[in-house]
Short mmCIF file of all heavy atoms in Angstrom, two decimals:
data_model
loop_
_atom_site.label_atom_id
_atom_site.label_comp_id
_atom_site.label_asym_id
_atom_site.label_seq_id
_atom_site.Cartn_x
_atom_site.Cartn_y
_atom_site.Cartn_z
N THR Y 1 135.15 75.16 55.42
CA THR Y 1 133.95 75.99 55.44
C THR Y 1 134.08 77.11 56.47
O THR Y 1 134.94 77.05 57.36
CB THR Y 1 132.72 75.14 55.80
OG1 THR Y 1 132.89 74.65 57.15
CG2 THR Y 1 132.59 73.96 54.85
N PRO Y 2 133.22 78.13 56.38
CA PRO Y 2 133.21 79.16 57.44
C PRO Y 2 132.98 78.56 58.82
O PRO Y 2 133.52 79.05 59.82
CB PRO Y 2 132.05 80.07 57.02
CG PRO Y 2 131.97 79.91 55.53
CD PRO Y 2 132.32 78.48 55.27
N GLU Y 3 132.19 77.48 58.89
CA GLU Y 3 131.96 76.83 60.18
C GLU Y 3 133.24 76.22 60.75
O GLU Y 3 133.47 76.24 61.97
CB GLU Y 3 130.88 75.73 60.03
CG GLU Y 3 129.49 76.25 59.74
CD GLU Y 3 129.31 76.76 58.31
OE1 GLU Y 3 130.11 76.34 57.43
OE2 GLU Y 3 128.38 77.56 58.09
N THR Y 4 134.08 75.68 59.85
CA THR Y 4 135.36 75.13 60.29
C THR Y 4 136.23 76.23 60.88
O THR Y 4 136.82 76.06 61.95
CB THR Y 4 136.09 74.47 59.12
OG1 THR Y 4 135.28 73.40 58.60
CG2 THR Y 4 137.43 73.90 59.56
N ARG Y 5 136.31 77.35 60.19
CA ARG Y 5 137.12 78.46 60.70
C ARG Y 5 136.54 79.00 62.00
O ARG Y 5 137.29 79.39 62.91
CB ARG Y 5 137.21 79.56 59.63
CG ARG Y 5 138.06 79.16 58.43
CD ARG Y 5 138.35 80.34 57.53
NE ARG Y 5 137.16 80.81 56.83
CZ ARG Y 5 136.77 80.38 55.63
NH1 ARG Y 5 137.49 79.46 55.00
NH2 ARG Y 5 135.69 80.86 55.05
N ALA Y 6 135.21 79.02 62.11
CA ALA Y 6 134.58 79.50 63.35
C ALA Y 6 134.89 78.58 64.52
O ALA Y 6 134.92 79.00 65.67
CB ALA Y 6 133.07 79.61 63.16
N GLY Y 7 135.16 77.29 64.22
CA GLY Y 7 135.49 76.35 65.28
C GLY Y 7 136.75 76.71 66.02
O GLY Y 7 136.95 76.31 67.18
N LEU Y 8 137.62 77.48 65.38
CA LEU Y 8 138.84 77.92 66.05
C LEU Y 8 138.52 78.70 67.32
O LEU Y 8 139.20 78.57 68.34
CB LEU Y 8 139.67 78.77 65.08
CG LEU Y 8 141.07 79.21 65.52
CD1 LEU Y 8 141.95 79.39 64.30
CD2 LEU Y 8 141.03 80.52 66.31
N LYS Y 9 137.47 79.53 67.28
CA LYS Y 9 137.09 80.32 68.46
C LYS Y 9 136.66 79.40 69.60
O LYS Y 9 137.00 79.65 70.76
CB LYS Y 9 135.97 81.29 68.11
CG LYS Y 9 136.34 82.36 67.11
CD LYS Y 9 135.17 83.31 66.90
CE LYS Y 9 135.49 84.38 65.88
NZ LYS Y 9 134.37 85.33 65.69
N ASP Y 10 135.90 78.36 69.27
CA ASP Y 10 135.46 77.43 70.32
C ASP Y 10 136.65 76.73 70.95
O ASP Y 10 136.71 76.55 72.18
CB ASP Y 10 134.51 76.39 69.71
CG ASP Y 10 133.21 77.00 69.21
OD1 ASP Y 10 132.81 78.06 69.74
OD2 ASP Y 10 132.61 76.43 68.28
N VAL Y 11 137.60 76.30 70.12
CA VAL Y 11 138.78 75.62 70.63
C VAL Y 11 139.61 76.57 71.49
O VAL Y 11 140.11 76.19 72.56
CB VAL Y 11 139.62 75.06 69.46
CG1 VAL Y 11 140.97 74.55 69.96
CG2 VAL Y 11 138.86 73.93 68.76
N LEU Y 12 139.75 77.81 71.05
CA LEU Y 12 140.53 78.79 71.81
C LEU Y 12 139.91 79.02 73.18
O LEU Y 12 140.62 79.05 74.20
CB LEU Y 12 140.62 80.10 71.02
CG LEU Y 12 141.59 81.16 71.53
CD1 LEU Y 12 143.02 80.63 71.55
CD2 LEU Y 12 141.51 82.41 70.66
N ARG Y 13 138.59 79.16 73.24
CA ARG Y 13 137.94 79.36 74.54
C ARG Y 13 138.13 78.15 75.44
O ARG Y 13 138.40 78.29 76.64
CB ARG Y 13 136.44 79.64 74.33
CG ARG Y 13 136.12 81.06 73.91
CD ARG Y 13 134.64 81.33 74.00
NE ARG Y 13 133.89 80.59 72.99
CZ ARG Y 13 133.63 81.04 71.78
NH1 ARG Y 13 134.05 82.23 71.41
NH2 ARG Y 13 132.93 80.31 70.93
N PHE Y 14 137.98 76.96 74.86
CA PHE Y 14 138.14 75.72 75.62
C PHE Y 14 139.54 75.64 76.23
O PHE Y 14 139.70 75.31 77.41
CB PHE Y 14 137.88 74.54 74.68
CG PHE Y 14 138.15 73.19 75.28
CD1 PHE Y 14 137.18 72.53 76.01
CD2 PHE Y 14 139.38 72.56 75.10
CE1 PHE Y 14 137.42 71.28 76.56
CE2 PHE Y 14 139.63 71.31 75.64
CZ PHE Y 14 138.65 70.67 76.37
N GLU Y 15 140.55 75.96 75.43
CA GLU Y 15 141.92 75.80 75.91
C GLU Y 15 142.34 76.93 76.84
O GLU Y 15 143.13 76.70 77.77
CB GLU Y 15 142.86 75.67 74.70
CG GLU Y 15 142.58 74.37 73.95
CD GLU Y 15 143.49 74.09 72.78
OE1 GLU Y 15 144.13 75.04 72.26
OE2 GLU Y 15 143.56 72.92 72.36
N GLU Y 16 141.82 78.13 76.65
CA GLU Y 16 142.13 79.20 77.60
C GLU Y 16 141.63 78.86 79.00
O GLU Y 16 142.28 79.18 80.00
CB GLU Y 16 141.50 80.52 77.14
CG GLU Y 16 142.28 81.25 76.07
CD GLU Y 16 141.88 82.70 75.97
OE1 GLU Y 16 140.66 82.97 75.87
OE2 GLU Y 16 142.76 83.57 76.01
N LYS Y 17 140.47 78.21 79.10
CA LYS Y 17 139.92 77.85 80.42
C LYS Y 17 140.82 76.85 81.13
O LYS Y 17 140.88 76.83 82.37
CB LYS Y 17 138.52 77.27 80.26
CG LYS Y 17 137.47 78.31 79.87
CD LYS Y 17 136.11 77.65 79.68
CE LYS Y 17 135.07 78.68 79.27
NZ LYS Y 17 133.74 78.06 79.03
N ARG Y 18 141.53 76.04 80.38
CA ARG Y 18 142.35 74.99 80.99
C ARG Y 18 143.83 75.35 81.09
O ARG Y 18 144.52 74.87 81.98
CB ARG Y 18 142.17 73.70 80.18
CG ARG Y 18 140.79 73.09 80.42
CD ARG Y 18 140.26 72.30 79.25
NE ARG Y 18 138.91 71.82 79.57
CZ ARG Y 18 137.81 72.56 79.41
NH1 ARG Y 18 137.89 73.79 78.94
NH2 ARG Y 18 136.63 72.06 79.73
N PHE Y 19 144.31 76.20 80.16
CA PHE Y 19 145.74 76.51 80.11
C PHE Y 19 146.07 77.94 80.50
O PHE Y 19 147.24 78.26 80.71
CB PHE Y 19 146.29 76.26 78.70
CG PHE Y 19 145.97 74.91 78.13
CD1 PHE Y 19 145.78 74.75 76.76
CD2 PHE Y 19 145.85 73.78 78.95
CE1 PHE Y 19 145.49 73.50 76.23
CE2 PHE Y 19 145.56 72.54 78.42
CZ PHE Y 19 145.38 72.39 77.06
N GLY Y 20 145.07 78.81 80.58
CA GLY Y 20 145.32 80.22 80.85
C GLY Y 20 145.21 81.05 79.57
O GLY Y 20 144.93 80.54 78.49
N ALA Y 21 145.44 82.34 79.70
CA ALA Y 21 145.24 83.26 78.59
C ALA Y 21 146.08 82.90 77.38
O ALA Y 21 147.25 82.51 77.51
CB ALA Y 21 145.55 84.68 79.03
N TYR Y 22 145.50 83.05 76.20
CA TYR Y 22 146.22 82.82 74.94
C TYR Y 22 147.47 83.70 74.92
O TYR Y 22 147.41 84.89 75.20
CB TYR Y 22 145.30 83.15 73.77
CG TYR Y 22 145.95 83.00 72.41
CD1 TYR Y 22 146.24 81.74 71.89
CD2 TYR Y 22 146.26 84.12 71.64
CE1 TYR Y 22 146.83 81.60 70.64
CE2 TYR Y 22 146.84 83.99 70.39
CZ TYR Y 22 147.13 82.73 69.90
OH TYR Y 22 147.71 82.59 68.66
N PRO Y 23 148.64 83.15 74.56
CA PRO Y 23 149.90 83.87 74.78
C PRO Y 23 150.35 84.83 73.68
O PRO Y 23 151.34 85.53 73.87
CB PRO Y 23 150.92 82.74 74.93
CG PRO Y 23 150.36 81.61 74.12
CD PRO Y 23 148.88 81.72 74.24
N PHE Y 24 149.64 84.89 72.53
CA PHE Y 24 150.17 85.67 71.41
C PHE Y 24 149.25 86.81 70.99
O PHE Y 24 148.12 86.92 71.46
CB PHE Y 24 150.46 84.74 70.22
CG PHE Y 24 151.50 83.70 70.52
CD1 PHE Y 24 151.19 82.36 70.50
CD2 PHE Y 24 152.80 84.08 70.85
CE1 PHE Y 24 152.14 81.40 70.79
CE2 PHE Y 24 153.76 83.13 71.15
CZ PHE Y 24 153.43 81.78 71.12
N THR Y 25 149.75 87.64 70.08
CA THR Y 25 149.03 88.85 69.68
C THR Y 25 147.92 88.58 68.67
O THR Y 25 147.02 89.41 68.50
CB THR Y 25 150.00 89.87 69.07
OG1 THR Y 25 150.67 89.27 67.94
CG2 THR Y 25 151.04 90.32 70.09
N SER Y 26 147.97 87.45 67.95
CA SER Y 26 146.95 87.14 66.95
C SER Y 26 146.89 85.64 66.78
O SER Y 26 147.72 84.88 67.31
CB SER Y 26 147.27 87.82 65.61
OG SER Y 26 148.43 87.26 65.02
N THR Y 27 145.90 85.19 66.01
CA THR Y 27 145.76 83.76 65.74
C THR Y 27 145.20 83.59 64.33
O THR Y 27 145.09 84.53 63.57
CB THR Y 27 144.88 83.07 66.80
OG1 THR Y 27 144.93 81.66 66.62
CG2 THR Y 27 143.44 83.55 66.74
N GLY Y 28 144.86 82.34 63.98
CA GLY Y 28 144.33 82.05 62.66
C GLY Y 28 144.78 80.69 62.18
O GLY Y 28 145.17 79.83 62.98
N MET Y 29 144.74 80.50 60.86
CA MET Y 29 145.17 79.22 60.29
C MET Y 29 145.63 79.45 58.85
O MET Y 29 145.26 80.43 58.20
CB MET Y 29 144.03 78.20 60.32
CG MET Y 29 142.81 78.57 59.52
SD MET Y 29 141.53 77.26 59.54
CE MET Y 29 141.03 77.28 61.26
#
């Protein structure tokens, strides 16, 4: 669902706070 795809943003924010800035030029699934 669109909500599932939107969850990627939440996960990315969560992991950036713990691991540092996202390392690549783009993302997705």
Side-chain angles (χ1 to χ4, degrees):
T1 65
E3 291 74 22
T4 300
R5 290 191 291 269
L8 187 152
K9 295 183 181 181
D10 295 334
V11 170
L12 190 60
R13 281 191 291 271
F14 174 86
E15 294 183 340
E16 279 198 310
K17 289 178 181 178
R18 288 151 183 84
F19 308 148
Y22 178 72
F24 298 117
T25 58
S26 68
T27 189
M29 62 177 67

